[in-house]
């Protein structure tokens, strides 16, 4: 007698929705039960002033890109720009003490190799979803509600990644981080 017990395979799923202030949110999950995960994520959205939207309603606002973060103290911007653009990077931006290099997803490895060849270490290198535009959320209550929604989504066991197109003032972000 053989025991033919089948364990359900995990399935990738994407849930799209909107948070407080009209912020677009894209949630990537891996689940063995799409109905359960969808219901749980829908509940998280509604508890925090958001709502789930239909497929395609949010995803068009994001582009899949390679993103590499490099410490700005490690290298001169002009030197870095020279060889990463030559290696196929699309853009280089400095934000505070970090450079963000964006690439086509397929060009990520080539740009990482160019960094390694020039003895530049990176903090992170990943394929991500980058919003084509952002929504400024200056209302303190909306911002707090949105950040709590994003935290709860990220804390869900099935959720792999959460992407959102918000722009919140640094003071509100710092206050939330300290909470």
């Amino acid at each position: 007698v053989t025991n033919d017990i089948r364990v359900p395979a995990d399935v990738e799923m994407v849930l799209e929705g909107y948070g407080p202030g009209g912020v677009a949110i894209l949630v990537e999950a891996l689940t063995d039960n799409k109905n359960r995960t969808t219901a749980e994520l829908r509940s998280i959205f509604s508890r925090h002033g958001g709502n789930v939207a239909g497929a395609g309603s949010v995803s068009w606002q994001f582009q899949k890109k390679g993103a590499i973060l490099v410490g700005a103290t490690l290298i001169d911007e002009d030197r870095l720009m020279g060889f990463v653009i030559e290696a196929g990077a699309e853009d280089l931006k400095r934000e505070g003490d970090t450079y963000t290099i964006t690439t086509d997803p397929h060009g990520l490895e080539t740009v990482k190799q160019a960094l390694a060849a020039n003895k530049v270490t990176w903090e992170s290198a990943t394929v991500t979803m980058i919003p084509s535009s952002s929504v400024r959320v200056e209302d303190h209550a909306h911002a707090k509600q949105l950040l709590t929604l994003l935290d709860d989504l990220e804390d869900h066991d099935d959720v792999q990644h959460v992407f959102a197109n918000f722009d919140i003032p640094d003071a509100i972000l710092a206050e939330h981080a300290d909470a």
Side-chain angles (χ1 to χ4, degrees):
V1 175
T2 59
N3 290 339
D4 193 16
I5 300 172
R6 296 184 187 264
V7 176
D10 284 343
V11 176
E12 290 182 14
M13 62 179 279
V14 175
L15 195 72
E16 302 178 37
Y18 289 95
V23 170
I25 301 171
L26 199 59
V27 181
E28 293 178 348
L30 193 60
T31 181
D32 61 354
N33 185 329
K34 279 179 93 168
N35 291 334
R36 174 187 48 79
T37 300
T38 300
E40 290 172 359
L41 295 178
R42 187 179 303 274
S43 173
I44 292 170
F45 267 94
S46 65
R47 256 196 332 264
H48 299 293
N51 58 28
V52 173
S57 59
V58 167
S59 59
W60 65 271
Q61 298 178 57
F62 294 84
Q63 293 182 332
K64 188 173 277 200
K65 295 285 181 186
I68 304 170
L69 299 181
V70 174
T73 58
L74 299 177
I75 187 170
D76 173 69
E77 185 171 0
D78 290 335
R79 181 168 169 259
L80 180 63
M81 176 74 84
F83 70 80
V84 297
I85 295 297
E86 188 176 304
E90 294 176 353
D91 197 11
L92 170 73
K93 289 184 182 163
R94 182 174 182 159
E95 297 170 8
D97 58 353
T98 305
Y99 295 119
T100 301
I101 304 163
T102 54
T103 71
D104 177 87
H106 303 294
L108 182 65
E109 285 304 315
T110 306
V111 175
K112 283 171 48 181
Q113 290 169 3
L115 289 167
N118 285 277
K119 296 180 177 35
V120 177
T121 56
W122 55 87
E123 295 172 14
S124 70
T126 186
V127 174
T128 187
M129 299 295 281
I130 297 179
S132 51
S133 65
S134 59
V135 174
R136 184 86 172 156
V137 182
E138 298 205 31
D139 178 77
H140 196 273
H142 278 157
K144 185 174 177 174
Q145 195 175 26
L146 172 65
L147 292 170
T148 303
L149 165 60
L150 296 173
D151 285 346
D152 284 1
L153 287 170
E154 288 174 353
D155 288 345
H156 189 280
D157 288 341
D158 293 345
V159 171
Q160 304 298 303
H161 304 284
V162 177
F163 306 103
N165 70 342
F166 65 88
D167 178 15
I168 294 178
D170 290 343
I172 297 174
L173 287 173
E175 183 183 302
H176 182 75
D178 293 340

